[in-house]
Every structure is written in C-alpha cells, then in structure tokens.
Amino acid sequence: MDEENMVFDIEHDPYNYVRGVVFSRWKPFILHAMDTDEVTNFSRFCKQLPITQKVLTQNLKALEQDGLISRTVIPDTPPRTEYRLTDRGKSIIPLLHAVYDWGWHVMKEENLPIDALGEMWHGYREKEDDVMYHPFGNK
C-alpha cells in the first residue's frame, strides 16, 4: 500500500507516540516519583525503585530528551545532579493518575493483589514513612 492511500499509520499515531514517551516499563514510576518529591536526585531513585543504575540512566536521558524532565548539575564537592519535571512533564501527571486509578479499581473488582507502596503514593492507603522512604528495607 502506498503512503498516499494509507488510512492508518501506527508510527504517526498519538497513542503510539505517548506509549513510547511515557509508558515504558519504568517511566511512569520515575515521573510519579518526581511529582511526589518535586526535586529528586539519582540516589533517591535508586532507593525508591528496584531499577539498575544503567536502566535508570537510560530512562532519565530519554525523559530529558523528550522534554519531560530537566537535569541540573550542582557544582558541590562531589557534584550533585537534581531532576525536576518540566511543565510538559507536569502536564502528563493527571494522565498517569487516571491510568493508575482505572487500574486500581479494576484490580479491586477482580480481587487482585495491589502493591502497598503504589497505594500509599496514590492515596489509597495511609502512608507509612518506613515504607515510603525505604521501600526495600534500605535504611
């Protein structure tokens, strides 16, 4: 089929674009963590998520390239790097909340187990500081 007569082009569809920019395995978690913390750093992500440093670095670079986060190097000794959501990144947060909310309600209806930390982050469960700030027992 030639491109002139093509009716559906998945490569140029907004669903496909959003899926690639926002809905990889780790990006929703990284974006939500940044929204929760407002400003965060690399080591904080490592405490919040069971993710390798390599995969975290790849995701942070991609989010920065897509304009969803900004990266600032603080010239301390040793240097620190802070990450923040950009206005574009902040604009995706309501969508992430809607997706989580939909999933939470369906999982409840289906009687499926739901992650406690995610419930705390999204207000479905009372926050417990030990879990919120050390979800993997790293104190």
Side-chain angles (χ1 to χ4, degrees):
M1 177 178 259
D2 64 23
E3 287 192 32
E4 268 182 51
N5 295 319
M6 188 178 284
V7 176
F8 177 64
D9 182 358
I10 195 168
E11 293 302 318
H12 297 105
D13 186 82
Y15 282 135
N16 197 45
Y17 175 78
V18 172
R19 184 199 52 78
V21 172
V22 178
F23 288 106
S24 71
R25 180 174 183 181
W26 292 108
K27 288 177 183 177
F29 300 103
I30 293 168
L31 292 166
H32 190 272
M34 292 179 76
D35 182 54
T36 300
D37 290 347
E38 291 185 31
V39 176
T40 195
N41 58 47
F42 194 88
S43 65
R44 177 87 170 114
F45 286 122
C46 292
K47 291 177 185 174
Q48 290 176 315
L49 303 170
I51 187 173
T52 66
Q53 290 185 1
K54 177 183 176 185
V55 172
L56 177 58
T57 298
Q58 290 170 340
N59 278 269
L60 290 170
K61 283 181 181 178
L63 289 166
E64 185 178 13
Q65 287 173 348
D66 289 328
L68 299 179
I69 67 172
S70 64
R71 177 180 178 268
T72 305
V73 177
I74 310 297
D76 284 346
T77 306
R80 294 181 296 123
T81 304
E82 293 182 341
Y83 297 90
R84 287 182 171 77
L85 290 175
T86 61
D87 288 341
R88 181 182 289 178
K90 290 175 187 175
S91 74
I92 200 75
I93 298 302
L95 175 63
L96 293 178
H97 288 308
V99 169
Y100 185 91
D101 186 60
W102 183 88
W104 187 88
H105 282 92
V106 171
M107 289 174 76
K108 279 293 194 188
E109 287 173 13
E110 299 292 327
N111 228 10
L112 298 171
I114 301 174
D115 172 62
L117 182 61
E119 286 186 312
M120 288 178 206
W121 271 15
H122 291 88
Y124 288 102
R125 183 184 285 221
E126 192 170 318
K127 292 181 179 177
E128 299 171 35
D129 285 344
D130 282 353
V131 175
M132 289 290 292
Y133 296 105
H134 306 286
F136 311 108
N138 306 337
K139 294 190 178 195

